[in-house]
Amino acid sequence: QEQLVQSGAEVKKTGASVKVSCRASGHTYIHWVRQAPGQGLEWMGIVNPSGGTAYSEKFQDRVAMTRDTSTSTVYMELTSLRSEDTALYYCTAAAHLDDAEYFQHWGQGTLVTVSS
Amino acid sequence: DIQMTQSPSSLPASVGDTVTISCRASQNINNYLGWYQLKPGKAPRFLIHGASTLQTGVPSRFSGSGSGTDFSLTISSLQPEDFATYFCQQSYSTPYTFGQGTKLEIK
């Protein structure tokens, strides 16, 4: 069973960057999904077992997802933070089921608060 | 991007009730539809893939149906632990997109 343990809450100033970590016990496809207060879930991107990435166009210019295989840790860095980036950020391990990809295991979430 | 529209956004119900949540895709997604349960302070739970296949450990009172653009999640004989927010998600193409969520509340 995939275990995902995320880093703790962060408070950042507008314009700063944040880097959230996710320790994943297996070598799997890791996605990042966020949920802003009172909003739905939003897919941000994926990092595959070899470190390849694909990002949502919305975040393409501001996000970087990386993988450190020596520590089984995946990172999501978001730059040029604005107040709208205040959200709960989840890492999630994908399962490939019946020709499609679903979010099978989830981390506990990392709250990122952005203020001026 | 594929838009996912869920209804209702809020659903008051009582223990023992049967409820249905609807999810509509803006284009045909075959059956590439998943359902998730969210509770405050807990990691989201993956319930259903392929529109109707329950994950291991999910009670049989949960069921999903649909194909193409229209889908539904039905929970029979509601239990206290079922009061949560439910999201549908399309896995047909990236960017993967979710419905806005349905909050199942105690009436």
Side-chain angles (χ1 to χ4, degrees), chain A residues 4-79:
Chain A
L4 301 168
V5 180
Q6 297 183 226
S7 49
E10 302 264 11
V11 179
K12 295 291 182 181
K13 295 287 190 185
T14 302
S17 299
V18 68
K19 194 169 187 177
V20 180
S21 68
C22 171
R23 194 171 75 247
S25 61
H27 299 282
T28 58
Y29 293 77
I30 299 293
H31 297 251
W32 290 88
V33 173
R34 75 177 188 179
Q35 184 179 27
Q39 302 297 311
L41 296 167
E42 184 173 36
W43 180 78
M44 300 179 69
I46 176 181
V47 55
N48 67 26
S50 58
T53 56
Y55 304 135
S56 168
E57 265 191 48
K58 177 176 178 177
F59 302 101
Q60 180 75 40
D61 297 334
R62 298 196 295 136
V63 74
M65 298 176 187
T66 55
R67 184 166 216 137
D68 182 345
T69 54
S70 67
T71 60
S72 301
T73 301
V74 174
Y75 300 91
M76 187 284 297
E77 184 172 25
L78 191 61
T79 62

Side-chain angles (χ1 to χ4, degrees), chain B residues 11-19 61 75-83 104-107:
Chain B
L11 182 53
S14 302
V15 172
D17 286 352
T18 294
V19 297
R61 62 181 180 271
I75 313 172
S76 305
S77 188
L78 276 171
Q79 298 301 299
E81 61 268 28
D82 299 335
F83 290 93
L104 184 53
E105 302 173 305
I106 298 175
K107 188 186 293 183

Side-chain angles (χ1 to χ4, degrees), chain B residues 22-81:
Chain B
S22 297
C23 178
R24 174 166 288 178
S26 60
Q27 66 180 74
N28 181 12
I29 59 169
N30 295 330
N31 67 336
Y32 296 137
L33 192 283
W35 288 98
Y36 302 83
Q37 177 192 67
L38 272 71
K39 294 181 178 181
K42 298 188 75 174
R45 183 186 185 189
F46 176 38
L47 299 175
I48 287 172
H49 81 269
S52 61
T53 303
L54 260 61
Q55 301 314 294
T56 302
V58 175
S60 58
R61 62 181 180 271
F62 289 85
S63 63
S65 65
S67 185
T69 60
D70 291 309
F71 303 87
S72 62
L73 172 70
T74 298
I75 313 172
S76 305
S77 188
L78 276 171
Q79 298 301 299
E81 61 268 28

